[in-house]
Amino acid sequence: MTPVSALCFFALLAGCSSPEPPSDNEIAEVLDSTKRNLVFVEGGEFWLGDVGNEAGVPFNPLNEDNKPPKRVELDGFSMLKTEVTWGDFVMFLRDVGRAEDYTIDNGFTRAVSLPIISSDDPVSPNYKYKPARSPNFQEAENYCLWLAEKAELPFSLPSEAQWEYAARNRGQAIAFATDTGEVELDKYLRGPSYQIDPMQPVSGNVLIHSLLVVERRPVGSYPPNPLGLHDMTGNVAEWTRDWFYPGFAHLSTRNPVATQPSRQHAGKRVVRDLAGRGNHIGGYATVYGRMGRSLDSYFQGFRCVVNQPEPIN
């Protein structure tokens, strides 16, 4: 048994017991760090969807679900500069008494890859600073609503338009949400799974690797985009709060969000940052890649926004 698989095994064993609820101080620390990690994104107008490069060539030629672009206007909002961490997410599940719902004993077979326990060990796949992978859409949404209740601020998952606007540096025609707008792939996870070393130094400016490999870098390991947001290309894919529709014709032009499911794709929400799923062929890893995932899909990460048109003090 490899060190990583052994840690997964012991995490599973520990996950079978009922976790203690967090203390008030632990929750206060999460709220304080969350507020410190908010980045204000000034509102404005932009073309939502694949606008193409200067030569008119689409960034994502194999996908028609992001065309034609639609002109929309957004109010300002604040967004978490990193994906929600595994440690913060597990604390939320402990606080609301649902951590023990996601165990093999309770029928959650995916606990093999998502044991609900947080670790202080950087080598562990459950290291607290690695990105959370919610066991379903509802718990990702619930986390942001939990923040809203605790912090008394209008937190939510980002709308698809908010997500893309922020990833594109307030709507610029760029391909990737990195520091340079281009990708320099980290060499991490490129070898056989038995050679994975979580302590391998970071290289490049983005991690794009198969979703089948659960291991990821701690949030914020790579340089942020010009707005100060990390990992909006790569690491893990991210939930938005929109129901999935092909294209954008259904959306309003001001602060758009799809609040009703489509008949054709009922039960699917929009997931962005397909680079976090390892997709890279035909431009799917660009900031224009999008897909609908069922509500019980369990490998997506997420970040939260505050729907307030001025910065948070």
Side-chain angles (χ1 to χ4, degrees), residues 70-90:
K70 181 167 185 169
R71 188 75 173 176
V72 301
E73 182 180 1
L74 295 176
D75 293 337
F77 58 94
S78 296
M79 175 176 271
L80 283 177
K81 70 180 181 181
T82 67
E83 295 144 340
V84 171
T85 65
W86 183 245
D88 287 355
F89 182 68
V90 171

Side-chain angles (χ1 to χ4, degrees), residues 47-53 58-60 63 65-67 160 163-164 168 171-176 248 272-274 283-291:
W47 288 96
L48 171 66
D50 192 349
V51 294
N53 61 23
F59 287 106
N60 184 197
N63 188 354
D65 287 342
N66 54 19
K67 304 176 185 66
E160 181 175 17
W163 190 96
E164 185 175 312
R168 290 171 51 190
Q172 294 179 11
I174 59 171
F176 303 100
F248 305 113
R272 300 301 299 256
D273 187 13
L274 302 189
Y284 277 93
T286 66
V287 290
Y288 307 95
R290 62 191 294 264
M291 67 189 309

Side-chain angles (χ1 to χ4, degrees), residues 29 241 305:
E29 288 177 7
R241 71 176 187 265
V305 298

Side-chain angles (χ1 to χ4, degrees), residues 241-245 250-251 255-262 269:
R241 71 176 187 265
D242 287 59
W243 291 96
F244 178 78
Y245 287 73
H250 62 291
L251 292 174
N255 296 321
V257 56
T259 58
Q260 298 294 325
S262 70
R269 298 274 186 165

